[in-house]
Amino acid sequence: MSQQDRGVSPVIGVILMLAITVVLATTISALTLGVTEDINDPAPNIAQATGEFVVDDPDAFANQIVRITHKAGDNVPVEQLEIVVRASGPEVDTEARLVNLPAEGTQLDPKNLEDPDNIVDNGNDNRNSVIISDDTNVWAAGDAITFRINTGDADFRVDEENTGPEADRLEVLIIHAPSNSILSEHTLNP
C-alpha cells in the first residue's frame, strides 16, 4: 500500500463518527426536550361546505337563521370546532365566537358564547340556538350547523320605514380549534 491510500481512511472514519454523533444528539435532544410535542396534526379537510342565511321569514323566531352545511370532506368532532360570527354594516360592526361545543340540548349557555354584543341568539323562549343535524356530535357530510342572529343587535332585515338594514354583511368561519385552522369560511349577504 502506498502512503496516500492509508491517509484517507482516518479522515472518512472521523467524518462518519461526527455524523453519527450529530444524529444521536439531535434525536436525544428532541426526545428529552419535548420538541416534537409542538408539531400539530394537520387540520381536517372540509372539501365543500355551503352557507345559507335566511333573513325574513313569516315566523318571527325564524328570522336571521344561519345554516352551514358540510357537503364533502373529513368528519370533525364538534368539540374541536369553534364558530366565529362577524356582522358588519352601516350601524353595526361586531364579532362573536361560539366555543365549548356541542351545546347541551338546543340552547347555548354562557360557557358556549364569547359574545360581548349579544349578536348570537342563545335559544331562550323555547327557540333552538345551535343544532348539529344528528346526535353523534360529529360534523360530517350532510350535517348542518344552524344558529340564529339576534334581530335586536344585528338586524339584517329592511325595517318598516324602508331605511335599510343595520347590517349588510355576515361572515361565518368554522375553525378547527386544535390546529387553529379555518375549515370553512362564508360571507353571507342578505
Side-chain angles (χ1 to χ4, degrees), residues 14 17 22 28 33 46 52 54 56 70 76-77 82 87 89 99 101 110 136 151 154 169 182-183 186 188:
V14 168
M17 288 301 289
V22 168
I28 291 170
L33 298 176
I46 304 301
E52 176 185 15
V54 177
D56 285 313
H70 185 307
V76 185
E82 290 185 3
V99 296
L101 298 172
T136 63
T151 55
R169 179 182 164 136
I182 297 173
L183 300 178
H186 300 276
L188 307 168

Side-chain angles (χ1 to χ4, degrees), residues 31-55:
L31 293 174
T32 58
L33 298 176
V35 174
T36 56
E37 292 175 12
D38 293 338
I39 300 172
N40 291 332
D41 289 331
N45 181 17
I46 304 301
Q48 184 179 8
T50 61
E52 176 185 15
F53 185 35
V54 177
V55 175

Side-chain angles (χ1 to χ4, degrees), residues 19-178:
I20 290 170
T21 304
V22 168
V23 169
L24 283 173
T26 304
T27 304
I28 291 170
S29 67
L31 293 174
T32 58
L33 298 176
V35 174
T36 56
E37 292 175 12
D38 293 338
I39 300 172
N40 291 332
D41 289 331
N45 181 17
I46 304 301
Q48 184 179 8
T50 61
E52 176 185 15
F53 185 35
V54 177
V55 175
D56 285 313
D57 191 289
D59 177 8
F61 291 130
N63 283 331
Q64 303 196 150
I65 299 293
V66 176
R67 184 173 294 110
I68 306 296
T69 304
H70 185 307
K71 293 291 187 181
D74 295 334
N75 297 347
V76 185
V78 175
E79 66 265 3
Q80 293 182 0
L81 297 177
E82 290 185 3
I83 303 167
V84 176
V85 181
R86 295 181 184 133
S88 59
E91 298 178 33
V92 68
D93 188 14
T94 187
E95 178 176 309
R97 188 177 280 256
L98 303 174
V99 296
N100 299 318
L101 298 172
E104 293 179 20
T106 59
Q107 294 183 0
L108 295 169
D109 34 59
K111 73 175 184 171
N112 301 118
L113 287 170
E114 292 176 5
D115 188 3
D117 294 327
N118 195 34
I119 63 169
V120 176
D121 190 339
N122 66 359
N124 290 333
D125 304 325
N126 297 320
R127 297 188 305 262
N128 290 339
S129 55
V130 173
I131 301 170
I132 305 295
S133 294
D134 66 9
D135 297 351
T136 63
N137 287 330
V138 173
W139 192 42
D143 293 340
I145 297 171
T146 305
F147 57 92
R148 182 177 177 271
I149 303 296
N150 275 330
T151 55
D153 297 291
D155 200 345
F156 288 84
R157 301 170 300 166
V158 175
D159 63 18
E160 289 121 19
E161 286 89 36
N162 258 348
T163 59
E166 295 174 352
D168 57 11
R169 179 182 164 136
L170 185 71
E171 288 181 84
V172 179
L173 296 111
I174 309 292
I175 297 174
H176 181 248

